Amino acid sequence: MEKPNQTLTHIDQQGNAQMVDITEKPATHRLARAQSIITMQPDTLAMIMSGSHKKGDVLAVARIAGIQAAKRCSDIIPLCHPLMLTSVKVQLLPEPEHNHVRVITECKVTGQTGVEMEALAAASAATLTLYDMCKAVDKGMVIQETKLLEKQGGRSGHWQAEDSQ
């Protein structure tokens, strides 16, 4: 298990929440990849894969939701810096052998702070959208394993989850 950082940067010396001051940080190329998985009934996944859902192409809608969430991340995460993203990719990978859709996201920016939250928000929004579009036929879907897979750039350099693909 990774040793936690001993300093929480979003808390000031008095214990108050604060936005991190990145004024003096250099702009660098940054990348983050994240995933989220939504597990469902086999019939629900088959309907998604065949495109026979009455709401249309749910994978396309989920992809757009993920992209939009990355772009609007600072609107929903209170202390997150607004970023001028240079790339957002959202892959939706149906895995019938596991009855789930794996969502893999990648966000890039050249900036003074990382894009981990944007990648995680994109993965979360895509799986939430799949749930929303399919809940009428499968209320028991489970969203799980929402996590950071990799980050590059910035002072801390490259980090990759041990089990990332």
Side-chain angles (χ1 to χ4, degrees), residues 141-153:
M141 291 176 285
V142 176
I143 296 171
Q144 57 198 11
E145 292 190 49
T146 301
K147 63 183 181 180
L148 185 67
L149 298 175
E150 179 181 15
K151 60 100 30 210
Q152 296 176 17

Side-chain angles (χ1 to χ4, degrees), residues 3 14 37 50 63 76-78 111 113 126 139 144 147 164-165:
K3 185 177 179 182
Q14 291 75 40
I37 295 171
S50 71
R63 183 176 300 106
I76 59 173
I77 308 294
T113 190
K139 289 180 180 32
Q144 57 198 11
K147 63 183 181 180
S164 70
Q165 299 183 32

Side-chain angles (χ1 to χ4, degrees), residues 45 48-49 59 92-97 100-102:
L45 183 56
I48 290 170
M49 291 173 61
L59 295 176
L92 292 109
L93 308 168
E95 296 178 351
E97 66 277 14
H100 69 222
V101 176
R102 181 183 307 269

